[in-house]
Amino acid sequence: MKNLRLKSARAAKDLSQDQLAKLCNVSRQTISAIEKGEYNPTVKLCIAICKALDKTLDELFWEE
Amino acid sequence: MISQIIAIIIFYGALTAIAIMIVKGKKSKEKYDEMQQKYIGNAYKYAYSTAMALIFGCIIIDANVGFNLPQYSLSSLLVWVCAISFSVFIIYSIWHDAYFLPNQNCRNYLGLTIGLSVLYTVLFIKGLMKDYGNDLDMSTLYEIILFRNSTNAALALCPALASVFIIIKMIKEKKEEAENDN
């Protein structure tokens, strides 16, 4: 399942996948895979993404 | 007695070297992110399974000729086992972007892989041409040409496959970047 909330939060911060990847210390492909729903990140990476985007875990990763 | 002691020293030396390599390997893996590490692990698993299956195939081939396969044929088969398993490893890793450092482009490896594949292809053709000039009967043809030259072919195949997959990956990445820009 695609993570559109992550994609829109990244776009709202005006960050490219590459820039977000650098902030989280991962590869661009990992961010791309998370957005496409192809990779299920660990809590550690989820927290790093949330911190980089100033969002909470619920806002970005909690399924509704 | 002395040779046995040397053999034991070599054995434990090899074990220590492997242990050091594993520890250093763990440290170098820290450079890769969690998704890459997951895929590198999968790539090792598939390469190991492939190697096991191919070695089993080699044993069957050897048994088929009464465990009398010439030594150079056996070494050549083992080179093929290594080349195919390594190809499985690199293709899987490249396909899942697992063997490039974070934010590094796979393009950096293209020159090296093309260079290696060209080098071994030249060696393979050179070997074939050298053997083709000799008068060989069918059995020598089978043993010498098929096995000796196939070693260079196996070594050329591995980087050639890597080059092809890096090029495909680069095209795919360009498309992906264009989609992200839209």
Side-chain angles (χ1 to χ4, degrees):
Chain A
M1 198 174 70
K2 281 188 179 182
N3 193 334
L4 296 173
R5 277 176 291 171
L6 172 59
K7 198 172 182 176
S8 58
R10 177 176 60 79
K13 275 251 170 187
D14 207 18
L15 289 172
S16 65
Q17 285 184 343
D18 205 30
Q19 287 166 323
L20 177 60
K22 277 178 187 159
L23 286 173
C24 302
N25 209 17
V26 292
S27 61
R28 186 198 63 79
Q29 288 84 359
T30 301
I31 299 296
S32 171
I34 296 168
E35 284 184 1
K36 282 194 245 169
E38 289 171 3
Y39 176 66
N40 199 5
T42 60
V43 176
K44 193 183 162 194
L45 180 54
C46 290
I47 292 170
I49 293 170
C50 289
K51 278 182 180 171
L53 297 174
D54 293 321
K55 295 277 179 188
T56 63
L57 278 170
D58 281 5
E59 282 172 320
L60 291 185
F61 296 103
W62 192 257
E63 281 183 21
E64 284 164 0
Chain B
M1 182 69 185
I2 291 170
S3 63
Q4 281 171 333
I5 292 169
I6 291 170
I8 290 169
I9 290 170
I10 290 171
F11 177 73
Y12 283 104
L15 279 186
T16 315
I18 291 167
I20 290 168
M21 275 165 68
I22 290 169
V23 172
K24 280 198 172 176
K26 271 186 185 168
K27 276 183 188 166
S28 70
K29 265 194 171 183
E30 283 167 12
K31 290 182 212 158
Y32 300 99
D33 68 39
E34 57 177 49
M35 189 184 79
Q36 288 178 310
Q37 283 191 28
K38 179 194 157 201
Y39 285 122
I40 288 173
N42 283 350
Y44 275 125
K45 194 170 70 185
Y46 292 129
Y48 176 78
S49 313
T50 310
M52 286 301 114
L54 290 173
I55 287 171
F56 186 66
C58 289
I59 293 169
I60 290 174
I61 291 172
D62 199 16
N64 226 14
V65 291
F67 295 103
N68 206 17
L69 209 62
Q71 204 176 5
Y72 55 81
S73 308
L74 209 52
S75 342
S76 179
L77 282 175
L78 288 176
V79 171
W80 271 100
V81 169
C82 291
I84 294 171
S85 330
F86 191 60
S87 299
V88 169
F89 175 78
I90 52 177
I91 288 168
Y92 189 89
S93 315
I94 289 169
W95 196 246
H96 292 93
D97 303 293
Y99 226 80
F100 309 114
L101 296 173
N103 304 311
Q104 184 188 37
N105 203 313
C106 55
R107 197 175 302 150
N108 300 355
Y109 298 87
L110 190 61
L112 177 75
T113 52
I114 289 177
L116 281 174
S117 58
V118 168
L119 174 76
Y120 284 110
T121 309
V122 168
L123 287 174
F124 170 60
I125 294 167
K126 216 176 146 188
L128 267 184
M129 283 168 76
K130 193 181 160 197
D131 285 338
Y132 190 70
N134 297 335
D135 284 333
L136 299 167
D137 57 42
M138 272 319 281
S139 63
T140 343
L141 194 83
Y142 174 74
E143 285 169 359
I144 304 287
I145 293 190
L146 188 69
F147 288 108
R148 191 172 65 195
N149 288 319
S150 71
T151 305
N152 282 333
L155 293 172
L157 174 85
C158 207
L161 280 173
S163 312
V164 170
F165 275 86
I166 287 174
I167 291 167
I168 295 171
K169 199 73 209 171
M170 279 162 61
I171 296 166
K172 207 180 156 204
E173 217 153 80
K174 253 191 180 173
K175 270 187 190 171
E176 215 171 85
E177 272 170 27
E179 271 172 26
N180 283 331
D181 290 342
N182 292 332

